[in-house]
Amino acid sequence: MGSGRKSAGSGPHNVATLGEIFRAIGITFGELHKFVSRTYMRLLARLLRRDELVAGSERKFRALLESAPDAMVIVNWHGHVTLVNAQAEALFGWPRAELIGRNIAVLVPDAARARHREHMRAYLPTAAPRPMGQDKELQGVRKDGSVFPVEISLGPLNTDEGLLVSAAIRDITARKRAETALRDAEERFRTAFEEAPVGIAVTGLDGRLIQVNRALCEITGHSREQLEATTLASITHPDDLERDVHEMGRLIANESTRYRAERRYLHAAGHPVSVDLSAAVIRNADGQAIHFLVQVHDMTERKRFEGQLQYLADHDALTGMFNRRRFEQELERELARSARYKDGGALLAIDLDHFKNVNDSLGHSVGDELITRVGGLFRATLRNTDIVARLGGDEFAVILPGADEAAAALVAEKLLQAVRAGARIEPATGHPMRMTATIGIGLFGTTPLTSEELLVEADIAMYDAKEAGRDRFKIYDATNNRQNRMRARLTWVDRIRDAIEHDHFVLHAQPILSLVPDSVQRLELLIRMVGEGDDLIPPGTFLYIAERFDLIQAIDRWVVHRAIVLLAAAKRDGRQSHLSLNLSAKSVTDPELPEFFASELRSAGIDGSGLCVEVTETAAIVNVDRARDFAHRLGELGCEFALDDFGAGFASFYYLKHMAFDYVKIDGEFIRDLPTSHINQLVVRSVVDLARGLGKRTIAEFVGDQETIDLLKHYGVDYAQGFYIAKPQTLEAVGLVEPAGALNPG
């Protein structure tokens, strides 16, 4: 019962207390309920608004993530992927649904995971705020296993879920490829700069040498440190400085883009070095000149070679004397001097007696040795003021300035004695051969004479001496001019005319060896004149006389006619033959000769294929335009054209440019001693390379041994001829037979 009272008594007390509380705050219970409800709703609305804001921020974040240019991957502090964008899906080949929740290690190749963990260690698992990480080049791996270079930038994200790390990843394959290509290009440039065979330098606008290569150091004899501490002007010859300053100024002012010139640099040893200088200006992006690029080619060897060529252009390669071209220039000069000072002089025409027998019986090497010995005897006998030359073969000539008849006779006798005493040949077998010479003397100064007229007079006197028994001299008798000239014509000119009229010429043929696969029989046709008792007179004896007395063109036409008849016969017999023939300067410039070729070919019923015309430089130089036209017209007939004695004259390369041709026939002076002469080897290789570059073939003359043939093959020469290969032979011996009844050309 008591408990019931206590309990019943407590309820009203509690209720009263709450009522008192409500009364104390001045509200009823209903009002309190309304207050609480309103407060909850406001809190709920506030919470709802916050959720909407969060959702909006999340939408904005995701939109920003998807629009990022790089692949974006967000991981939690465990390293698991929580969010990726479409760029990451495309880059790594993982669908988003498969990638989220995986460890980021699946995007890293095994070999690179340690570096990736080290890079992320600054951000995980700590929740401390971190700045955005710097870009780092690492590696990524696609779902298919392919590894590629990437650049990663890490940054922290503090969220309600804890610390996250965002990774901005970009594929740098193209950039790395470009960087590699740039490094390779730079390395190639450095290598090319340093290892270039020509000197290269980068200079300031003031000429200060900034960078030089090894070749420039070698050219100047200075070390790299020495050059890069000085200026271009300090190593340039003082006489060349002013021109360089002027040209450099034009480059800076953009008045020219490049200039090239021959200059002299001062070698460290003190001597000048000839160089070929080429300079260009280097400009920046604004077009402002900032540096010079200078290239320097050492011309020492080229100058030496040009000097050698110039020497060969003026001198006989065998004896070192003046050649015919230079001698004729000296004779013209001496005649002009004599006419001015009225002091006269003498011209000696010298011919060795029976020299052909030496070549035929003992070979050209012995003949060359004899010519060299005779040349030395002449120089030892003559004064320094006398001018001596080898005109060709065994022909020599001497100019004696200021000499009268008595002085000329005295010198001639001394020369004859020198030959008798010093020009003996002692072959390995047989008896010694005693050589002699014959001399003709022409005097000048009393009456005006041209060089050609003086040479004719000396020649006439020489042949007078030959007919008188050789081993003597004769002086041209100007008082008996008519008689001597008529007798000379009767003894030689008339003999040549008689040979032309009565067909007293024969052809021999010298085989040409093919050094390349070639089944064609190749022969050079050589003319001989039939003398008394059917002796054969070599061409050197009568051709130059025929040329001086305008009989050479008739002889050339005779050779052309016979060559075409022989070629037609060979073609009818089914033989592949290639015949070469030589023409004189007067024939090459004869405007009617091409039509003569055409007429002869029509009469024979063939075209010109298989026929090659050889023309020397001395023939072409008479009239280059006519020679070029002649070669062109013969080419239209099917004939081929060869430049003979190539290299003997300084202008040989000029004719390569200005004349059509099929063959280059290298002068024999460069073939003799080829195995032992570095200069000859250099010339032959250069000619072969040049001809091959022009699509032409080469022929080497005067081949004297097997070693020379082997060298010619090695250098790429196409054909060779000489006594070692085969001497000139009769037509029958080489299988060429002229049909009976072949007519002489009209």
Side-chain angles (χ1 to χ4, degrees):
M1 292 293 296
S3 63
R5 287 191 301 269
K6 184 178 178 179
S7 176
S10 63
H13 173 76
N14 291 336
V15 171
T17 302
L18 288 172
E20 290 174 358
I21 292 171
F22 288 157
R23 285 192 296 270
I25 62 176
I27 61 172
T28 66
F29 180 80
E31 290 173 339
L32 177 62
H33 182 267
K34 291 180 180 179
F35 170 78
V36 172
S37 297
R38 285 195 300 270
T39 301
Y40 173 78
M41 292 303 293
R42 283 197 298 271
L43 289 172
L44 181 61
R46 190 174 299 167
L47 288 172
L48 287 173
R49 283 197 301 272
R50 189 185 69 178
D51 288 345
E52 289 177 357
L53 290 173
V54 170
S57 297
E58 184 176 348
R59 284 194 301 273
K60 291 179 182 179
F61 174 73
R62 288 182 181 275
L64 189 63
L65 194 68
E66 293 299 330
S67 63
D70 298 325
M72 301 295 297
V73 179
I74 298 176
V75 299
N76 61 21
W77 69 276
H78 296 292
H80 293 146
V81 177
T82 62
L83 195 62
V84 297
N85 64 357
Q87 288 82 342
E89 288 185 284
L91 179 61
F92 290 98
W94 282 89
R96 192 178 315 212
E98 294 183 30
L99 189 57
I100 291 177
R102 292 180 181 270
N103 194 288
I104 195 171
V106 299
L107 305 182
V108 181
D110 293 343
R113 285 178 181 174
R115 294 181 60 210
H116 279 266
R117 282 195 298 270
E118 180 183 351
H119 188 42
M120 295 187 66
R121 193 169 292 147
Y123 299 92
L124 294 175
T126 179
R130 297 283 182 182
M132 285 295 291
Q134 295 181 347
D135 292 347
K136 192 172 187 67
E137 291 185 7
L138 297 169
Q139 286 183 310
V141 61
R142 297 185 177 89
K143 187 177 181 181
D144 62 9
S146 58
V147 178
F148 60 101
V150 297
E151 187 175 75
I152 299 179
S153 178
L154 299 179
L157 291 175
N158 288 307
T159 69
D160 293 340
E161 300 176 9
L163 179 67
L164 302 178
V165 176
S166 67
I169 307 169
R170 64 189 62 90
D171 184 356
I172 59 173
T173 301
R175 191 181 83 190
K176 298 296 287 184
R177 188 180 297 119
E179 289 174 353
T180 300
L182 179 60
R183 283 195 302 271
D184 291 346
E186 290 175 346
E187 182 61 29
R188 285 195 297 271
F189 173 78
R190 281 193 294 269
T191 301
F193 180 90
E194 183 58 31
E195 301 301 328
V198 299
I200 305 177
V202 177
T203 80
L205 298 183
D206 57 356
R208 180 175 54 86
L209 290 164
I210 299 172
Q211 187 176 3
V212 300
N213 71 343
R214 175 183 51 79
L216 188 61
C217 297
E218 293 175 354
I219 291 171
T220 62
H222 294 284
S223 68
R224 191 187 306 271
E225 292 73 19
Q226 288 173 327
L227 287 177
E228 292 179 354
T230 187
T231 64
L232 199 62
S234 68
I235 61 171
T236 303
H237 194 283
D239 294 343
D240 295 340
L241 274 177
E242 185 176 347
R243 287 176 292 177
D244 274 352
V245 170
H246 173 71
E247 292 296 341
M248 292 291 192
R250 294 185 71 241
L251 287 176
I252 295 174
N254 212 15
E255 295 176 3
S256 65
T257 57
R258 176 183 296 273
Y259 91 89
R260 183 175 180 178
E262 289 188 15
R263 292 289 183 264
R264 289 165 295 173
Y265 280 176
L266 301 176
H267 194 273
H271 62 271
V273 179
S274 295
V275 299
D276 182 7
L277 170 69
S278 178
V281 70
I282 301 173
R283 300 183 183 276
N284 60 18
D286 298 328
Q288 183 180 6
I290 54 175
H291 296 108
F292 288 118
L293 179 64
V294 177
Q295 297 184 60
V296 178
H297 189 281
D298 188 352
M299 296 175 60
T300 303
E301 185 66 16
R302 173 180 157 188
K303 285 291 187 181
R304 187 188 65 80
F305 184 56
E306 285 181 353
Q308 190 70 25
L309 286 178
Q310 182 63 59
Y311 178 86
L312 292 174
D314 290 336
H315 294 78
D316 171 57
L318 188 61
T319 64
M321 296 176 172
F322 285 154
N323 57 18
R324 179 182 290 273
R325 187 183 76 91
R326 178 61 182 274
F327 181 78
E328 290 176 350
Q329 292 175 351
E330 293 295 326
L331 182 57
E332 291 280 2
R333 189 176 297 114
E334 184 58 31
L335 289 176
R337 189 201 63 79
S338 175
R340 180 177 181 182
Y341 295 104
K342 311 296 183 185
D343 58 353
L347 171 65
L348 277 58
I350 309 170
D351 192 64
L352 298 183
D353 298 330
H354 306 295
F355 179 74
K356 179 179 181 298
N357 295 337
V358 175
N359 274 340
D360 291 346
S361 60
L362 301 178
H364 280 282
S365 60
V366 175
D368 289 348
E369 182 182 348
L370 176 61
I371 292 295
T372 303
R373 190 183 310 167
V374 169
L377 293 171
F378 288 170
R379 274 194 292 260
T381 304
L382 296 167
R383 303 171 300 178
N384 291 334
T385 54
D386 299 331
I387 301 169
V388 61
R390 181 190 176 203
L391 303 185
D394 62 336
E395 301 174 60
F396 296 85
V398 177
I399 302 173
L400 303 176
D404 57 14
E405 182 175 326
L410 181 61
V411 172
E413 185 57 43
K414 287 182 179 180
L415 294 175
L416 293 175
Q417 290 176 2
V419 173
R420 295 184 196 116
R424 292 172 60 87
I425 300 175
E426 298 184 5
T429 59
H431 298 289
M433 298 176 61
R434 173 176 169 270
M435 295 301 300
T436 59
T438 301
I439 301 176
I441 303 174
L443 300 173
F444 58 89
T446 55
T447 58
L449 287 173
T450 66
S451 60
E452 182 71 18
E453 289 171 337
L454 184 59
L455 282 167
V456 169
E457 290 186 354
D459 278 345
I460 290 173
M462 182 187 69
Y463 280 100
D464 285 346
K466 279 185 177 291
E467 291 183 355
R470 305 177 189 270
D471 189 21
R472 66 195 66 215
F473 69 87
K474 286 284 186 179
I475 299 175
Y476 179 80
D477 187 359
T479 62
N480 199 14
N481 188 357
R482 175 181 291 273
Q483 182 180 352
N484 283 342
R485 287 183 181 271
M486 288 301 296
R487 185 151 55 88
R489 288 174 179 173
L490 287 173
T491 56
W492 278 107
V493 177
D494 286 351
R495 288 175 66 183
I496 295 171
R497 284 178 175 160
D498 183 71
I500 295 171
E501 184 177 353
H502 296 95
D503 206 18
H504 288 170
F505 293 109
V506 296
L507 288 177
H508 281 192
Q510 184 176 24
I512 299 174
L513 174 66
S514 175
L515 303 181
V516 295
D518 188 354
S519 60
V520 177
Q521 180 192 38
R522 294 177 178 270
L523 302 165
E524 180 177 359
L525 300 179
L526 304 169
I527 192 170
R528 305 285 189 264
M529 190 169 78
V530 180
E532 296 178 1
D534 291 334
D535 289 338
L536 296 182
I537 302 172
T541 301
F542 64 88
L543 282 184
Y544 80 97
I545 298 175
E547 188 159 0
R548 287 181 181 173
F549 290 96
D550 293 327
L551 298 173
I552 192 66
Q553 289 164 283
I555 294 177
D556 283 346
R557 291 189 178 218
W558 184 93
V559 174
V560 170
H561 168 75
R562 288 295 191 272
I564 291 175
V565 168
L566 290 169
L567 184 61
K571 287 185 175 182
R572 283 194 296 270
D573 293 341
R575 297 177 56 184
Q576 286 187 304
S577 294
H578 186 276
L579 305 181
S580 297
L581 56 94
N582 295 275
L583 292 182
S584 67
K586 290 184 178 179
S587 291
V588 170
T589 57
D590 180 0
E592 297 179 0
L593 189 60
E595 180 54 37
F596 178 78
F597 267 88
S599 175
E600 291 293 317
L601 290 170
R602 285 194 300 268
S603 297
I606 61 172
D607 61 13
S609 60
L611 191 66
C612 180
V613 176
E614 298 183 6
V615 177
T616 64
E617 177 185 318
T618 53
I621 200 172
V622 173
N623 190 313
V624 176
D625 291 335
R626 284 192 180 181
R628 181 169 54 234
D629 181 64
F630 174 80
H632 175 72
R633 293 176 65 184
L634 259 61
E636 292 178 337
L637 297 174
C639 302
E640 291 184 307
F641 190 77
L643 282 178
D644 197 5
D645 297 338
F646 184 83
F650 189 64
S652 296
F653 292 92
Y654 174 84
Y655 297 106
L656 290 185
K657 178 179 179 181
H658 291 280
M659 293 185 66
F661 65 97
D662 303 281
Y663 299 88
V664 172
K665 204 163 186 180
I666 306 171
D667 186 65
E669 296 295 349
F670 298 110
I671 305 303
R672 293 191 182 104
D673 303 323
L674 184 64
T676 58
S677 172
H678 175 69
I679 292 176
N680 288 359
Q681 292 171 10
L682 180 63
V683 171
V684 171
R685 286 200 302 265
S686 300
V687 172
V688 171
D689 289 343
L690 182 60
R692 184 178 295 162
L694 296 173
K696 312 304 179 183
R697 287 168 285 180
T698 49
I699 306 171
E701 300 180 292
F702 295 100
V703 175
D705 51 52
Q706 184 60 43
E707 188 176 1
T708 299
I709 292 177
D710 294 339
L711 268 179
L712 294 173
K713 286 182 179 179
H714 177 67
Y715 294 155
V717 175
D718 299 292
Y719 305 100
Q721 67 181 113
F723 276 19
Y724 176 78
I725 297 169
K727 293 182 179 182
Q729 305 170 37
T730 64
L731 298 182
E732 291 77 9
V734 297
L736 288 179
V737 180
E738 190 174 46
L743 298 177
N744 199 37

